[in-house]
Amino acid sequence: MTDLVIPAPSLPTVPTSTGGRFPVRRVFCVGRNYAAHAREMGHDPDREPPFFFTKPADAVVVDGADTPYPSATARLEHEVELVVAIGSAGSDVTADHALEHVWGYGVGLDLTRRDLQAEAKRLGRPWDAAKGFDASAPIGTLVPAAGVDPAAGAITLRVNGDLRQSGDLADQIWSVAETIAELSRFVALSPGDLLMTGTPEGVGVLDRGDTLEGTIAGVGSVRTRIV
Protein backbone atom coordinates (compact mmCIF):
# COMPACT_ATOMS: atom_id res chain seq x y z
CA MET A 1 0.00 0.00 0.00
CA THR A 2 1.38 3.40 -0.97
CA ASP A 3 2.00 5.73 1.96
CA LEU A 4 0.02 8.95 1.96
CA VAL A 5 2.17 12.04 1.45
CA ILE A 6 -0.18 14.10 3.65
CA PRO A 7 -2.66 13.01 6.35
CA ALA A 8 -6.00 11.86 4.93
CA PRO A 9 -8.78 14.38 5.55
CA SER A 10 -11.45 13.39 8.05
CA LEU A 11 -14.80 12.23 6.74
CA PRO A 12 -17.65 14.71 7.41
CA THR A 13 -20.61 13.13 9.17
CA VAL A 14 -24.10 14.20 10.24
CA PRO A 15 -25.85 12.89 13.37
CA THR A 16 -28.94 10.73 12.97
CA SER A 17 -31.90 10.05 15.23
CA THR A 18 -30.84 6.39 15.42
CA GLY A 19 -27.69 7.32 17.34
CA GLY A 20 -25.26 6.61 14.51
CA ARG A 21 -23.72 9.11 12.12
CA PHE A 22 -24.29 9.49 8.39
CA PRO A 23 -21.06 9.86 6.37
CA VAL A 24 -21.24 12.64 3.79
CA ARG A 25 -19.78 11.86 0.37
CA ARG A 26 -21.16 14.72 -1.79
CA VAL A 27 -23.73 17.50 -1.44
CA PHE A 28 -25.97 18.24 -4.42
CA CYS A 29 -28.45 21.12 -4.53
CA VAL A 30 -31.35 21.76 -6.89
CA GLY A 31 -32.05 25.35 -7.90
CA ARG A 32 -35.36 27.21 -8.00
CA ASN A 33 -37.61 24.28 -7.07
CA TYR A 34 -40.42 26.38 -5.55
CA ALA A 35 -42.45 28.57 -7.89
CA ALA A 36 -42.72 31.56 -5.54
CA HIS A 37 -38.96 31.56 -4.89
CA ALA A 38 -38.23 31.30 -8.61
CA ARG A 39 -40.39 34.36 -9.18
CA GLU A 40 -38.76 36.35 -6.38
CA MET A 41 -35.41 35.61 -8.05
CA GLY A 42 -36.75 36.91 -11.36
CA HIS A 43 -37.37 33.61 -13.19
CA ASP A 44 -40.32 31.80 -14.73
CA PRO A 45 -40.81 28.52 -12.82
CA ASP A 46 -42.72 26.90 -15.66
CA ARG A 47 -39.93 26.91 -18.21
CA GLU A 48 -37.00 24.89 -16.88
CA PRO A 49 -36.31 21.33 -15.71
CA PRO A 50 -34.32 20.81 -12.49
CA PHE A 51 -30.71 22.00 -12.54
CA PHE A 52 -28.03 21.20 -9.99
CA PHE A 53 -25.01 22.68 -8.28
CA THR A 54 -22.78 21.29 -5.53
CA LYS A 55 -21.22 22.06 -2.21
CA PRO A 56 -18.17 20.23 -0.85
CA ALA A 57 -18.88 17.61 1.79
CA ASP A 58 -16.88 19.54 4.38
CA ALA A 59 -19.16 22.57 3.93
CA VAL A 60 -21.53 20.80 6.35
CA VAL A 61 -22.05 22.45 9.74
CA VAL A 62 -23.46 20.12 12.39
CA ASP A 63 -26.75 21.14 13.98
CA GLY A 64 -26.28 23.56 16.88
CA ALA A 65 -22.74 24.60 15.96
CA ASP A 66 -21.91 28.21 15.12
CA THR A 67 -21.48 29.19 11.47
CA PRO A 68 -18.76 31.74 10.66
CA TYR A 69 -19.76 34.68 8.49
CA PRO A 70 -17.90 34.06 5.20
CA SER A 71 -15.30 36.34 3.71
CA ALA A 72 -15.66 38.17 0.38
CA THR A 73 -19.36 38.99 0.68
CA ALA A 74 -21.57 41.82 1.87
CA ARG A 75 -24.81 39.88 1.32
CA LEU A 76 -25.03 36.50 3.00
CA GLU A 77 -28.54 35.03 2.57
CA HIS A 78 -30.47 32.07 4.00
CA GLU A 79 -32.40 29.31 2.22
CA VAL A 80 -34.11 26.59 4.27
CA GLU A 81 -34.44 23.22 2.50
CA LEU A 82 -35.44 19.58 2.83
CA VAL A 83 -32.30 17.41 2.78
CA VAL A 84 -32.44 13.92 1.28
CA ALA A 85 -29.83 11.39 2.44
CA ILE A 86 -29.06 8.71 -0.17
CA GLY A 87 -28.53 5.23 1.23
CA SER A 88 -28.06 3.04 -1.84
CA ALA A 89 -26.43 3.42 -5.24
CA GLY A 90 -28.27 3.92 -8.50
CA SER A 91 -28.04 5.35 -12.01
CA ASP A 92 -30.86 6.32 -14.35
CA VAL A 93 -33.42 5.43 -11.72
CA THR A 94 -37.07 6.07 -12.43
CA ALA A 95 -39.21 8.35 -10.30
CA ASP A 96 -41.32 5.31 -9.36
CA HIS A 97 -38.31 3.70 -7.68
CA ALA A 98 -36.30 6.77 -6.64
CA LEU A 99 -37.41 6.86 -3.00
CA GLU A 100 -36.10 3.30 -2.58
CA HIS A 101 -32.61 4.86 -2.62
CA VAL A 102 -33.32 7.22 0.29
CA TRP A 103 -31.93 6.47 3.75
CA GLY A 104 -33.55 9.44 5.42
CA TYR A 105 -34.33 13.14 5.56
CA GLY A 106 -33.27 16.27 7.42
CA VAL A 107 -33.49 20.03 7.44
CA GLY A 108 -30.68 22.11 5.96
CA LEU A 109 -29.65 25.67 5.19
CA ASP A 110 -28.21 26.55 1.79
CA LEU A 111 -26.25 29.68 2.73
CA THR A 112 -25.48 31.88 -0.25
CA ARG A 113 -23.14 34.77 -1.02
CA ARG A 114 -25.89 36.47 -3.01
CA ASP A 115 -23.74 39.33 -4.28
CA LEU A 116 -21.21 36.88 -5.71
CA GLN A 117 -24.01 34.80 -7.23
CA ALA A 118 -25.51 37.86 -8.92
CA GLU A 119 -22.13 38.79 -10.38
CA ALA A 120 -21.55 35.22 -11.58
CA LYS A 121 -24.95 35.21 -13.28
CA ARG A 122 -24.20 38.54 -14.93
CA LEU A 123 -20.92 37.25 -16.30
CA GLY A 124 -22.16 33.75 -17.15
CA ARG A 125 -19.76 32.17 -14.69
CA PRO A 126 -20.17 29.18 -12.31
CA TRP A 127 -21.71 29.67 -8.87
CA ASP A 128 -19.02 27.82 -6.90
CA ALA A 129 -17.78 30.82 -4.90
CA ALA A 130 -21.35 31.86 -4.16
CA LYS A 131 -22.65 28.46 -3.05
CA GLY A 132 -19.77 26.11 -2.25
CA PHE A 133 -17.83 28.04 0.36
CA ASP A 134 -16.72 26.82 3.79
CA ALA A 135 -19.52 26.24 6.31
CA SER A 136 -22.24 26.92 3.73
CA ALA A 137 -24.45 23.92 4.63
CA PRO A 138 -25.72 23.68 8.22
CA ILE A 139 -27.71 20.42 8.47
CA GLY A 140 -29.86 19.07 11.29
CA THR A 141 -30.20 15.54 12.61
CA LEU A 142 -31.23 13.07 9.91
CA VAL A 143 -34.23 10.80 10.47
CA PRO A 144 -34.91 7.47 8.69
CA ALA A 145 -37.17 7.64 5.66
CA ALA A 146 -39.83 5.33 7.09
CA GLY A 147 -42.79 7.41 8.20
CA VAL A 148 -41.66 10.63 6.46
CA ASP A 149 -43.73 12.05 3.62
CA PRO A 150 -41.34 14.16 1.49
CA ALA A 151 -44.25 15.44 -0.59
CA ALA A 152 -46.04 17.47 2.10
CA GLY A 153 -45.27 19.33 5.31
CA ALA A 154 -44.80 22.89 6.49
CA ILE A 155 -41.28 24.27 6.01
CA THR A 156 -40.25 27.43 7.86
CA LEU A 157 -37.24 29.49 8.81
CA ARG A 158 -37.02 31.92 11.71
CA VAL A 159 -34.20 34.38 12.24
CA ASN A 160 -33.90 35.67 15.82
CA GLY A 161 -37.41 34.31 16.36
CA ASP A 162 -38.95 36.24 13.45
CA LEU A 163 -40.56 34.25 10.63
CA ARG A 164 -38.63 34.77 7.38
CA GLN A 165 -39.61 31.81 5.18
CA SER A 166 -42.82 29.80 5.17
CA GLY A 167 -44.06 27.24 2.66
CA ASP A 168 -44.94 23.60 2.21
CA LEU A 169 -43.11 20.69 0.63
CA ALA A 170 -46.20 20.30 -1.54
CA ASP A 171 -45.14 23.55 -3.26
CA GLN A 172 -42.09 21.90 -4.85
CA ILE A 173 -42.14 22.14 -8.64
CA TRP A 174 -40.34 18.81 -8.92
CA SER A 175 -41.07 16.17 -6.28
CA VAL A 176 -38.28 14.54 -4.32
CA ALA A 177 -38.68 11.36 -6.38
CA GLU A 178 -38.54 13.30 -9.66
CA THR A 179 -35.50 15.28 -8.51
CA ILE A 180 -33.60 12.14 -7.49
CA ALA A 181 -34.43 10.51 -10.81
CA GLU A 182 -33.24 13.56 -12.75
CA LEU A 183 -30.00 13.80 -10.76
CA SER A 184 -29.31 10.11 -11.39
CA ARG A 185 -29.25 10.82 -15.13
CA PHE A 186 -26.11 12.93 -14.67
CA VAL A 187 -24.25 11.18 -11.82
CA ALA A 188 -24.32 7.74 -10.26
CA LEU A 189 -25.99 8.12 -6.88
CA SER A 190 -23.88 6.77 -4.04
CA PRO A 191 -24.48 6.06 -0.36
CA GLY A 192 -23.49 9.16 1.56
CA ASP A 193 -24.76 11.65 -1.02
CA LEU A 194 -26.97 14.47 0.25
CA LEU A 195 -29.50 16.31 -1.90
CA MET A 196 -30.83 19.72 -0.89
CA THR A 197 -34.15 20.14 -2.64
CA GLY A 198 -34.78 23.88 -2.97
CA THR A 199 -36.24 26.66 -0.85
CA PRO A 200 -39.57 28.47 -0.54
CA GLU A 201 -39.87 32.24 -0.96
CA GLY A 202 -38.65 34.74 1.61
CA VAL A 203 -34.87 34.42 1.33
CA GLY A 204 -33.12 37.31 3.04
CA VAL A 205 -29.94 38.85 4.39
CA LEU A 206 -28.10 37.62 7.48
CA ASP A 207 -25.86 39.51 9.90
CA ARG A 208 -23.33 38.40 12.46
CA GLY A 209 -25.10 37.40 15.65
CA ASP A 210 -28.25 36.15 13.91
CA THR A 211 -29.71 32.87 15.14
CA LEU A 212 -31.45 30.70 12.55
CA GLU A 213 -33.92 27.90 13.17
CA GLY A 214 -35.33 25.96 10.24
CA THR A 215 -38.08 23.39 10.70
CA ILE A 216 -39.99 20.92 8.55
CA ALA A 217 -43.09 19.23 9.95
CA GLY A 218 -42.53 15.52 10.40
CA VAL A 219 -38.78 15.79 9.74
CA GLY A 220 -37.10 17.95 12.35
CA SER A 221 -35.09 21.15 12.59
CA VAL A 222 -31.71 22.79 12.18
CA ARG A 223 -30.29 25.56 14.32
CA THR A 224 -27.17 27.70 13.99
CA ARG A 225 -25.83 31.13 14.88
CA ILE A 226 -23.87 33.35 12.50
CA VAL A 227 -20.64 34.51 14.16
Side-chain angles (χ1 to χ4, degrees):
M1 178 178 178
T2 303
D3 291 335
L4 300 176
V5 297
I6 60 171
S10 58
L11 179 68
T13 63
V14 178
T16 73
S17 63
T18 64
R21 300 188 71 87
F22 186 89
V24 181
R25 183 173 185 267
R26 298 176 293 189
V27 181
F28 296 97
C29 308
V30 62
R32 298 195 289 265
N33 197 29
Y34 287 74
H37 173 59
R39 293 189 186 99
E40 76 176 345
M41 300 305 291
H43 298 275
D44 183 345
D46 297 322
R47 287 188 174 176
E48 57 186 4
F51 68 94
F52 301 93
F53 56 92
T54 62
K55 294 175 181 282
D58 61 5
V60 168
V61 177
V62 173
D63 185 33
D66 290 342
T67 298
Y69 194 99
S71 61
T73 185
R75 193 174 181 87
L76 177 66
E77 295 196 0
H78 56 73
E79 300 184 9
V80 63
E81 314 205 358
L82 174 70
V83 178
V84 180
I86 300 297
S88 63
S91 297
D92 292 317
V93 302
T94 65
D96 289 344
H97 294 281
L99 297 186
E100 298 169 10
H101 296 269
V102 176
W103 182 90
Y105 300 95
V107 187
L109 301 172
D110 171 15
L111 300 181
T112 304
R113 290 164 161 157
R114 194 70 73 193
D115 46 358
L116 299 192
Q117 185 187 35
E119 182 69 0
K121 289 179 179 179
R122 186 181 71 83
L123 297 173
R125 293 177 177 173
W127 293 3
D128 296 61
K131 289 287 193 177
F133 54 93
D134 296 340
S136 60
I139 293 177
T141 298
L142 300 176
V143 298
V148 175
D149 179 5
I155 176 172
T156 63
L157 178 74
R158 294 182 181 273
V159 178
N160 303 324
D162 297 328
L163 185 64
R164 290 276 191 94
Q165 292 184 261
S166 180
D168 196 284
L169 299 181
D171 300 331
Q172 295 173 102
I173 298 170
W174 296 86
S175 70
V176 169
E178 291 169 331
T179 302
I180 292 170
E182 184 73 4
L183 178 60
S184 76
R185 293 179 55 231
F186 299 102
V187 297
L189 301 176
S190 296
D193 289 342
L194 297 179
L195 172 60
M196 303 182 77
T197 57
T199 194
E201 66 180 320
V203 300
V205 178
L206 294 169
D207 295 314
R208 292 172 179 82
D210 284 346
T211 296
L212 292 75
E213 184 171 12
T215 62
I216 299 177
V219 177
S221 64
V222 62
R223 184 180 177 90
T224 191
R225 182 169 63 100
I226 307 297
V227 297

